[in-house]
Amino acid sequence: MDKKKYPKSRLGWLWENMSGKRILFIAALFGTALYNVLQLVVPHYSRQLINLFSEAEKEHLPLADKSDTIYHLIFLMVALTLFRVVVVYLDCMAYERVSQGALFRIRNYLYDKIQRQDMKFYSTYRTGDLMTRVTGDLDAVRHNIAWVIRCIVESLTLFLSASVYFFLINVKLALCIVSIAPLIFFIVFRFRKKVGPMHKALREKLAGMNTDAQENISGNRVVKAFAREEYEKEKFDASNKDYRDTNMKTQMVWLKFFPFVELIANALPVILLLVGGVFIINGEITMGDYTAFSLLIWAIANPMRMMGNIMNEFQRFSAASDKIMEIYYSEPEIVNHPDAIPHPGRFEGKVEFDLVSFQYEDGKLPVLKDISFVAEPGETVAIIGETGCGKTSLIQMIPRFYEPNSGKVLVDGVPVENYNMTDLRKNIGLATQDVLLYSDSIEGNISYGATALTAEEVEKYARYSAASDFIHRMPEGYDTIVGERGVGLSGGQKQRISLARALAIKPSILILDDTTSAVDMETEKQIQHSLRNLDFPCTKIIIAQRISTTKFADKILVLKDGRIIESGNHKDLVAAGGYYSDLVKLQLGDSMVSAS
Ligand code: DGT
Ligand code: MG
């Protein structure tokens, strides 16, 4: 991952997110250093005790004379050890607090960030991949604070304090032991280079697997309809196996280095035994000194053993944090202009397209070409055209989901990009082509955009969208839970709830994208009737395939390959004898054309 593109380094970013807990974190780091220096206590006092015994033996003095010193030393040893336990305990708590705090902060920030992204973001990132980032990757970050950084400090302090202590006792013996360290650094450095890319690959595979799982769970109906369970299971097995194998391979890398590290770590006691033994015989060190070395030799060996593990975890953190930072520092392209006009109230509802052309960034062909039309306040404009001609793309320009490549979209005579985006969008009621209902009650779904609605108002909007009858027939009425895990609704029922949701905000501009495509003719008639008789002023832009929907519109735009090829009201267009008139013939029969 390209590190330059983020404003902060990985650790700088972590530090930023420890805000409010930084002092605690530094205290925790000092605590770690402290309890590791305290590892010197037992060897140090043991050394003094043994030296005391040896002296007493040499000088043939009764130990009873020294009992005070002995008790004093033993007391110190026990007290400091107990103190160490307390420090370890507090330290663990501190790391937990800091890491959970940072996790909380980053998680909230990411969620907010994801919510605020524009449409392009959502078509770039797959849901499973995003989920991996806010769960698994974030946990790697927490683990880095609570464990990896702490292990680094622990290993460093142990190694340094033991080395210093060794040098204080006997420089020559200390040199013999510590001089082995550079070898370990060399090995770990080589290891890091090998294992880094593997953690990146591992991370990608995990995200891929999560995406597969997520798509299959939400698309389970398609899987079942095509009886593809076995195929999907095999596909998942394959990616699961691939993930396992990559995981194994990553672990194996360390196994290659492990024997060398173990060899060196295990050589330490042998060196001590040989060199230390000779030094005792020569009288260069006392028995107590030797005991201190031998009780503390693990403090040199263990950090060496730990380094592989630490490096492994740090690489996992690097791969995960890159993924999170990519979202953390991503900026939506469509944002409020610095001099955006606030417009807290209602809009008049005039919508104007002025020579709008548009092409998706990742698309090959222009989708809209020179679109110009005006919808006056309160008017109904119908858009009709064959599938893929650009109808949905066109209406997405109004709430600024996408921006035109050229031309202008204006609301009330002001280009949409000049408005504060929230003000603009709050005035637009949109029922999208693929309906999404939340796992909530029907009432909750209808009042999603207007939370302060009374039960009567909810009922009113349900009536407008011809939904109240079927809702009343449900056992729990408006309290029925719908959405993914709730009661199943038919396509037409869902469309009607989504229409009620769009109406409930009393929008100045109502946009319906094929919203009545799945309802029967009779119900659609009712809906058309209520849309003409809403109790608030509203400009309607309605995408439809049925003549029965477009017939009453003030203006009909016929779109073909991203261009408006015909526009006018029903009568004019039928008279013009073009595409629309053909469509009328097709849908209503020749006789109806002359009648209408
Ligand atoms: P429909 O809903 O089937 O009646 O079709 P329309 O008229 O709503 O078509 P629309 O606007 O969704 O798509 C117009 C063209 O743009 C079509 O060739 C597909 C393409 N397109 C739609 N959405 C995207 C998108 O998110 N990214 C890219 N690259 N192309 C898109
Ligand atoms: Mg569409």
Side-chain angles (χ1 to χ4, degrees), residues 388 390-393 433 513-514 543:
K391 302 180 294 294
T392 302
S393 310
Q433 198 166 9
D513 191 352
D514 244 352
I543 297 179

Side-chain angles (χ1 to χ4, degrees), residues 360 362-363 367 386-393 402 433 545:
Y360 288 101
D362 53 344
V367 174
E386 57 202 31
T387 174
C389 66
K391 302 180 294 294
T392 302
S393 310
Y402 290 98
Q433 198 166 9
Q545 302 293 350

